[in-house]
Amino acid sequence: MTQLKPKDITETDVYIRLLEPSYISYQNERIEYPITKPVLLIMYLAYQQNWLSRDVLATFVRPDTDTATARQTLRQHLARARKFKWVSESLEVEKSRIRWQVASDVQDFRNAIGKADWANAVACYSGPLLAGLASQESPTFDAWLIAERASLHNAWRKAARKHAEDLSNGGHQEDAALLYKKLWQDDPLAEDSLQAYIRASYLAGQRDEALEAFDSFATMLKDELELTPLEDTQQLIATIRRAEQLNPEVTQTQKVDIPLSVLRPTVLVGRDVEQQAIVDSKTPVTLVYGEAGTGKSRLLNSIFPDALYLKCLEGLEHVPYYPIVAYIRKNLANIDSWPALASFKTDLARLIPELGSDDLLEGEELDNETAKSRLLEALAIVLSSQADKLIIDDLQWADAATFELLHFLANKNTETIVKLYGAYRDNEVGLKLETFLEGMRSGKMVTLVEVGGLEPSSLTSLMATIMQVPLEQAPVQFSQWLFDKSGGNPFFALETLKTLLETRSLSITDGIWQSDLDSLSQNYDELALPPVVLQMVERRIKTLSDETRRVLSVACVMQTGFNATVLSKISALSEWATSEALAEAESKDIIDIDGFKHDLTRQALYSSLPESQRRFIHKSIADVLSSSLTSVLSPKANSKDYTLKDPLIIAEHYLQAKDYEQAAKLL
């Protein structure tokens, strides 16, 4: 090992091992660091990962003194720590806060748990946090270290148990037995771990090992606690002694049951304004719009549960009257109960041959205009005879003939006995829908109601409803994470919950909701994103032009504050072409004036980029922004430009690009 000397290292990547054995990896060399108070301070920063206020850190390093002395001690520790180049290049120090965001085994462990990658989580956990570190005679530090060691260790036990279950279910009984044995040895009184070890050993053909483990456990219980093993354990060992076959169902992990409150929340939250606008609408047609997943359809169905509900389907945009025809074919057995249709049955039979005989189809020939008029009248009778309200969902996929029918119904004015409601995705509006909307707007026959994402408070209320707890007991921090990731999109939020439950990253025991990251994460950023949401995002991205996807690849790395001027320089497109690309992305509801509408969209784009391309884009962004840094720091610079070209923001891009020399200059 190399003993670290300040300023004697010249190159790049830093990786810190906080778990046993603890050391610094720098320039692919293992370096043993001296255990001093300044080093312990940066170990604490490396563990936390996020910004920490100077006041909090000052109290942490000197809880036994006054504020001024504690702050002075903090400054001294920081000055000594920054003499190490592997610290100074990436330590971010501001007037009121400090952060050292460096790669570490603890962060790898958190990420693995967040992604429900139990095998990797087990591999990442190599031992206690800062193992072998003696008491620092600081109650604050010692209490923190004890608590965090326990949290990490408990998280490892849960991950190991889940990985062992997966191994057993996959038929890898020998590997499962080794892991169960490790869990049992870690806690010799954990009889559930012993049972699992005995079972896996027996199924792996290691009968003697299973019997030996039971005898050892039984002896320990008797000698130390004067107890005997549980009845379940004794029955299991009796089966093994008789060399009988174990019931395979015993080794299967039960399928996770997703609560109905997650699959379909019973209460609609945060939609009072939209609901009132729909109820108050006086026009013949009322349409709700928004992106996929905001709950447009559920909103309409909850207001009008008895309405006739029809749905357009993607890929059938050229099939005339598809949603109406599909409904009629589904209800052919009831057609004779629609007496008002009698005189128009011939007209309807030309569209749906199943309705009539060949003689009926060979009736009087009509000119095209008359035939169309009678067909529209026939379809209008069908719809109005079934309900006084009609909901047509996913109008972005409606065919031209269906729009013509809706226009026909809307123009019947006082004759209309069926009120029309519909929903569409405003980021997928095609020419047919746009033409229909223009006609409705020009005739003042439509009311449009936008259904956007939920507010953070509404999402917290939704979590309280799902968890069936009072609002004050809702998980505010977790709800904020859900909001940040989903942009308040209810579908995205619910799919995220379902994925976390299915992967066992989130569990419900006796009504108590728990995440394996509850005691490890400050903001739950390590939790994995649901595949169905990423697929929806990818679907939307694929519809964009090559230029727009190229510009968004840069924008997702920049995250916020981007504009056509900066993006054009990095994406190697003209400013005009870049502006058009941004306009297309905005029209598809992917970005707005503040940046990406949802972090899920940005994250999906970012994760799709190869690591080498990410680093290249980070470097390009930093170079472009730093080239105009002087001018933007002038007193006349506007706040938006300053935010974009803040030296700390640029330094962050250099850090992500692994250009520590340039980052250090700015920091």
Side-chain angles (χ1 to χ4, degrees):
M1 285 183 197
T2 301
Q3 180 64 40
L4 186 66
K5 297 179 182 179
K7 296 295 183 184
D8 68 350
I9 298 174
T10 59
E11 247 290 305
T12 59
D13 297 350
V14 180
Y15 185 88
I16 182 166
R17 287 191 60 91
L18 295 165
L19 304 173
E20 184 181 22
S22 303
Y23 60 86
I24 292 287
S25 175
Y26 191 84
Q27 198 181 0
N28 296 321
E29 183 179 8
R30 176 169 166 166
I31 300 166
E32 188 178 85
Y33 50 80
I35 303 299
T36 62
K37 291 188 183 298
V39 169
L40 288 178
L41 171 63
I42 62 171
M43 296 300 104
Y44 178 72
L45 287 166
Y47 183 86
Q48 299 293 358
Q49 287 286 311
N50 296 310
W51 288 104
L52 297 174
S53 74
R54 283 179 175 267
D55 289 341
V56 168
L57 288 171
T59 303
F60 186 79
V61 298
R62 286 296 302 272
D64 57 340
T65 187
D66 60 273
T67 302
T69 303
R71 288 178 177 174
Q72 177 62 27
T73 303
L74 175 62
R75 286 193 292 270
Q76 292 172 351
H77 286 354
L78 286 173
R80 291 173 61 189
R82 294 174 77 175
K83 291 181 180 179
F84 297 112
K85 189 173 182 180
W86 46 272
V87 174
S88 64
E89 287 182 339
S90 52
L91 184 66
E92 300 171 78
V93 179
E94 294 184 3
K95 184 177 180 179
S96 61
R97 60 181 189 167
I98 301 169
R99 178 175 70 171
W100 193 35
Q101 206 167 38
V102 63
S104 73
D105 53 351
V106 169
Q107 193 57 34
D108 289 342
F109 179 62
R110 290 171 177 151
N111 290 336
I113 288 178
K115 295 174 182 176
D117 185 352
W118 311 122
N120 196 23
V122 171
C124 287
Y125 187 83
S126 53
L129 175 67
L130 298 176
L133 186 64
S135 172
Q136 297 302 300
E137 298 180 355
S138 167
T140 304
F141 184 89
D142 290 345
W144 168 81
L145 186 58
I146 291 171
E148 295 306 318
R149 280 176 176 170
S151 294
L152 291 168
H153 185 72
N154 288 336
W156 166 78
R157 285 191 61 87
K158 291 179 181 178
R161 181 80 188 203
K162 291 172 182 177
H163 182 39
E165 290 173 354
D166 291 341
L167 288 170
S168 180
N169 291 336
H172 305 288
Q173 301 297 346
E174 188 172 352
D175 292 334
L178 288 173
L179 197 48
Y180 280 129
K181 183 178 183 179
K182 191 173 182 180
L183 283 166
W184 173 48
Q185 291 176 337
D186 178 70
D187 183 2
L189 291 176
E191 195 161 344
D192 58 337
S193 296
L194 172 72
Q195 285 184 11
Y197 169 56
I198 290 174
R199 183 182 299 114
S201 295
Y202 182 61
L203 292 172
Q206 300 169 349
R207 180 172 178 270
D208 291 343
E209 287 85 342
L211 294 173
E212 183 181 342
F214 173 78
D215 291 340
S216 173
F217 178 75
T219 300
M220 185 263 300
L221 279 185
K222 181 179 180 180
D223 293 346
E224 297 184 14
L225 302 173
E226 295 184 358
L227 296 174
T228 59
L230 296 173
E231 182 65 27
D232 288 347
T233 308
Q234 295 187 46
Q235 289 180 1
L236 173 64
I237 209 68
T239 300
I240 293 174
R241 291 190 193 283
R242 294 192 299 268
E244 295 177 355
Q245 184 175 355
L246 285 176
N247 185 351
E249 293 181 357
V250 176
T251 66
Q252 293 180 356
T253 302
Q254 291 185 344
K255 181 181 178 181
V256 177
D257 291 324
I258 308 298
L260 288 176
S261 60
V262 175
L263 296 174
R264 190 171 180 84
T266 56
V267 178
L268 200 65
V269 300
R271 297 302 185 203
D272 294 344
V273 174
E274 295 88 343
Q275 181 170 327
Q276 194 62 49
I278 294 169
V279 172
D280 292 344
S281 173
K282 304 301 182 185
T283 55
V285 181
T286 303
L287 302 179
V288 298
Y289 66 92
E291 69 172 359
T294 53
K296 304 179 295 296
S297 307
R298 189 180 179 201
L299 176 61
L300 289 174
N301 286 322
S302 67
I303 300 173
F304 309 117
D306 297 326
L308 175 60
Y309 179 81
L310 305 179
K311 184 177 179 65
C312 305
L313 295 181
E314 184 180 16
L316 299 177
E317 299 94 327
H318 303 292
V319 178
Y321 307 109
Y322 170 76
I324 302 93
V325 170
Y327 171 77
I328 295 174
R329 284 191 165 128
K330 186 177 179 180
N331 292 275
L332 282 177
N334 303 322
I335 198 71
D336 292 333
S337 65
W338 302 343
L341 189 62
S343 60
F344 291 94
K345 194 170 184 180
T346 301
D347 305 281
L348 205 56
R350 291 190 173 96
L351 181 64
I352 308 173
E354 302 97 301
L355 284 177
S357 63
D358 292 338
D359 292 339
L360 187 60
L361 293 174
E362 293 174 359
E364 179 185 358
E365 290 292 332
L366 302 174
D367 62 83
N368 290 339
E369 290 302 319
T370 302
K372 177 181 287 188
S373 177
R374 288 185 61 84
L375 177 59
L376 290 174
E377 194 68 44
L379 293 173
I381 290 173
V382 169
L383 297 176
S384 60
S385 66
Q386 299 306 296
D388 60 351
K389 296 180 181 66
L390 168 65
I391 297 173
I392 301 187
D393 201 3
D394 285 324
L395 281 168
Q396 72 276 359
W397 296 324
D399 59 276
T402 295
F403 282 125
E404 188 175 34
L405 173 61
L406 295 180
H407 208 292
F408 176 79
L409 289 170
N411 277 284
K412 290 178 74 68
N413 297 323
T414 56
E415 298 177 35
T416 302
I417 58 174
V418 57
K419 184 98 181 261
L420 303 177
Y421 297 90
Y424 66 91
R425 300 178 185 177
D426 59 335
N427 60 324
E428 296 186 35
V429 175
L431 179 60
K432 293 190 290 291
L433 176 54
E434 183 57 43
T435 302
F436 173 73
L437 291 174
E438 287 180 4
M440 291 291 101
R441 283 191 293 254
S442 64
K444 297 182 179 180
M445 292 185 292
V446 65
T447 297
L448 299 178
V449 180
E450 181 178 11
V451 181
L454 296 175
E455 295 296 323
S457 59
S458 296
L459 197 55
T460 302
S461 297
L462 178 62
M463 283 300 302
T465 299
I466 291 172
M467 297 173 67
Q468 300 177 346
V469 298
L471 181 59
E472 57 271 17
Q473 294 180 22
V476 177
Q477 185 180 18
F478 184 79
S479 299
Q480 184 62 49
W481 175 82
L482 266 183
F483 176 81
D484 292 340
K485 289 299 178 186
S486 66
N489 185 301
F491 175 78
F492 287 1
L494 292 173
E495 283 298 319
T496 299
L497 287 177
K498 285 167 58 179
T499 298
L500 295 179
L501 289 166
E502 287 169 349
T503 59
R504 294 172 291 165
S505 296
L506 188 65
S507 60
I508 306 173
T509 305
D510 297 329
I512 299 175
W513 292 55
Q514 294 178 315
S515 162
D516 292 329
L517 285 170
D518 287 343
S519 60
L520 301 180
S521 178
Q522 294 188 18
N523 51 21
Y524 293 95
D525 276 345
E526 299 87 356
L527 287 174
L529 299 176
V532 65
V533 174
L534 294 179
Q535 289 167 8
M536 289 180 66
V537 172
E538 290 168 359
R539 166 200 167 95
R540 292 173 62 184
I541 299 303
K542 287 179 180 178
T543 66
L544 303 174
S545 65
D546 292 341
E547 291 80 7
T548 300
R549 290 200 299 272
R550 185 172 179 180
V551 168
L552 288 179
S553 293
V554 178
C556 76
V557 177
M558 190 174 290
Q559 296 197 34
T560 59
F562 45 76
N563 56 51
T565 302
V566 175
L567 291 175
S568 65
K569 294 178 181 178
I570 302 166
S571 60
L573 294 170
S574 69
E575 194 166 336
W576 178 262
T578 304
S579 179
E580 287 188 328
L582 290 175
E584 182 185 6
E586 189 170 359
S587 71
K588 297 293 186 180
D589 217 27
I590 293 173
I591 64 171
D592 58 21
I593 192 171
D594 296 320
F596 283 90
K597 290 281 295 257
H598 305 308
D599 189 58
L600 284 172
T601 306
R602 186 203 64 79
Q603 192 169 348
L605 278 165
Y606 190 81
S607 63
S608 67
L609 297 174
E611 176 64 24
S612 58
Q613 190 174 0
R614 292 182 203 169
R615 291 172 66 163
F616 172 77
I617 296 176
H618 275 297
K619 179 71 163 58
S620 300
I621 291 171
D623 288 343
V624 168
L625 297 183
S626 61
S627 66
S628 55
L629 187 58
T630 303
S631 62
V632 83
L633 294 179
S634 69
K636 296 181 180 179
N638 66 57
S639 60
K640 186 174 181 180
D641 280 346
Y642 183 83
T643 300
L644 178 63
K645 299 173 183 178
D646 184 332
L648 289 172
I649 298 296
I650 301 173
E652 184 68 25
H653 285 297
Y654 276 127
L655 285 172
Q656 296 297 327
K658 308 299 183 184
D659 190 340
Y660 296 120
E661 183 176 353
Q662 292 297 327
K665 292 178 182 178
L666 289 166
L667 290 172

